[in-house]
Amino acid sequence: MFWPQRSVILTNMSRLPLNTLPVFRCVAELQNLRAAATVLHLTHSAVSQQIRTLETQLGFQLFDRLGRGVVLNAAGQALLRSVGPALAMLEDGMHAATAAANGEQQRLRVTVLPSFAQRWLLPRMGSWRARHPHLALEIEASQNLVDLPRAGLHAALRYGRGPWPGLESEPLLEAPLSWAVVGSPAAAQRLRNASPQDLTREPLLGDRDAWQAWFQTAGVHTRVTPVAVFNDAGLLLQAAEQELGLALTRELLAADALADRRLERISPLSIAYEDTQTYHLAYRPELRDWPPLLALRAWLRDELRAAQARVTRDEPAA
C-alpha cells in the first residue's frame, strides 16, 4: 500500500513543470500578474499561462482571483513555504558552481546591525580574509529585520533574545554582555577621581533605562535625563569620542576604541544590563549545514570569545 502511493508522488514530481516555479514565487510575492510580468520581463499572458500550467498539473488552484489581483489560497501558501527556500538554495548552488568554474570567490551574503558592522566586524575583516581567502563576505548594514530569502541573503547577525520567525538562530556568546561607562580621554582625565554621584552632573548619552540601572547598581538614587539618545550604538560611541558626553555601552562594541585610547573607562563599575540578550546568528533553515555558513559561525564564535575575554581581562578592579 505504501509503494503505490510513493510511485504516484514520484510520477507527479517528474511531470511538475519546474520552470513555472520562479514565476509562481514572483506572482505570490507581488500578488499581481502584471507586476510579476514586469519583474520577470515576460508578457502578462505568458505569466498567466505558466500559472495555469502549474495549477493544471497539480490538479488544484493556488490563487484566488480578486479583481485585477491574485491572493494565495491555503494550497498556494503551503507550496510557497517550500518553493521559496528550495529556489533560493538552487540559486545559491548555481552561483557557487559558476564561481568554482570561473575560479572566483564564493560569496556569503549577511545582514548586520550598523553598530556591529562599524565598531566590531570591519576591524576584523583581515582575520576573516586570512582564514577564508576564497570566501567573500557581502555585508548589508541594516537596522531592519530583513526577509533573508526575498533579499537574497544567507544569514543575519542580530542582538536580542530570538527566535526570529522563519529562521533558525543560535547565540554566539555564552556569557552576558557587560555594560560600562566610557568617555573621551579628556573626560577621563577630568573625572579621574569622580564618584558615581559625581556623574549625575555630567552630560549623559544613551538609553535612559540603562543609565537608571547603572546608577541603581552604584547605589545612587537619581532621575536620569540623557542629553542625547541614539538608535545606533556606533553613533553613541562616536558622540562620546567627540566629547559630547559620557556613554553607557556594551563593552564589546567599545573594546577597540578602549584599546586605541580613543575612549577610556570613566568608572570601574560595569553591569549586566539586558542580560538575557546577546548576539545571534540567524539563518535560513535549509542552510544549516552549508559549509560557508559553518565557516562564518565558527569564525564569529572564535573572534567574539577572544574579544570578550580581552574585555574581561582589561576590566579595572572595582
Side-chain angles (χ1 to χ4, degrees):
M1 191 172 182
F2 171 77
W3 288 109
Q5 289 180 343
R6 187 181 182 205
S7 176
V8 169
I9 293 172
L10 291 175
T11 300
N12 288 340
M13 283 295 296
S14 66
R15 295 178 180 174
L16 185 65
L18 298 179
N19 61 303
T20 64
L21 296 182
V23 176
F24 163 72
R25 178 180 61 175
C26 188
V27 173
E29 291 176 347
L30 298 176
Q31 299 188 50
N32 186 283
L33 294 170
R34 292 192 181 278
T38 300
V39 170
L40 296 169
H41 303 289
L42 297 172
T43 64
H44 176 269
S45 60
V47 171
S48 298
Q49 180 58 45
Q50 293 212 36
I51 295 300
R52 282 196 300 270
T53 298
L54 177 59
E55 291 179 327
T56 299
Q57 184 61 44
L58 291 173
F60 48 80
Q61 287 192 333
L62 300 168
F63 296 92
D64 292 330
R65 275 66 175 177
L66 300 176
R68 295 185 178 181
V70 292
V71 179
L72 279 174
N73 58 26
Q77 292 171 3
L79 182 61
L80 182 62
R81 283 194 291 270
S82 296
V83 165
L87 288 176
M89 198 168 183
L90 284 172
E91 289 165 0
D92 289 336
M94 291 174 60
H95 289 314
T98 302
N102 296 331
E104 299 173 352
Q105 288 182 317
Q106 194 168 0
R107 297 187 177 275
L108 179 60
R109 296 181 292 277
V110 184
T111 176
V112 184
L113 290 168
S115 58
F116 189 85
Q118 175 193 3
R119 306 298 303 204
W120 192 90
L121 183 59
L122 291 183
R124 290 164 176 80
M125 288 302 296
S127 166
W128 170 262
R129 288 197 301 269
R131 188 159 164 176
H132 298 287
H134 302 296
L135 182 55
L137 275 183
E138 292 185 1
I139 299 170
E140 177 181 303
S142 175
Q143 293 275 9
N144 300 322
L145 296 176
V146 180
D147 184 329
L148 299 186
R150 181 174 296 183
L153 296 165
H154 300 117
L157 279 164
R158 286 290 177 255
Y159 180 76
R161 296 182 178 86
W164 287 268
L167 301 176
E168 291 194 13
S169 62
E170 52 192 79
L172 294 170
L173 287 168
E174 298 175 1
L177 296 170
S178 56
W179 291 57
V181 180
V182 299
S184 67
Q189 178 65 28
R190 179 170 53 82
L191 297 169
R192 183 175 299 276
N193 298 313
S195 67
Q197 182 66 49
D198 295 330
L199 300 191
T200 62
R201 294 183 287 274
E202 294 293 316
L204 305 179
L205 305 171
D207 185 75
R208 182 184 68 84
D209 292 338
W211 273 111
Q212 206 75 54
W214 187 87
F215 279 114
Q216 184 176 356
T217 302
V220 176
H221 300 285
T222 185
R223 184 180 180 85
V224 177
T225 305
V227 299
V229 179
F230 303 87
N231 71 340
D232 180 81
L235 294 176
L236 168 68
L237 292 171
Q238 186 176 348
E241 290 173 354
Q242 294 179 1
E243 302 186 22
L244 299 181
L246 307 181
L248 181 59
T249 182
R250 297 189 288 275
E251 287 181 301
L252 189 69
L253 293 181
D256 292 341
L258 290 169
D260 297 341
R261 305 302 294 272
R262 287 176 284 130
L263 290 173
E264 295 191 22
R265 298 176 189 273
I266 303 300
S267 169
L269 174 65
S270 61
I271 62 171
Y273 180 64
E274 295 183 335
D275 59 358
T276 60
Q277 299 193 40
T278 189
Y279 287 104
H280 288 75
L281 179 65
Y283 50 87
R284 290 157 28 193
E286 70 274 13
L287 299 180
R288 182 188 303 109
D289 299 318
W290 189 42
L293 184 68
L294 296 177
L296 178 65
R297 179 193 300 151
W299 178 78
L300 284 170
R301 283 179 169 167
D302 289 347
E303 291 290 336
L304 282 166
R305 286 169 182 162
Q308 193 170 43
R310 180 180 180 183
V311 165
T312 303
R313 184 172 61 250
D314 293 344
E315 284 180 351

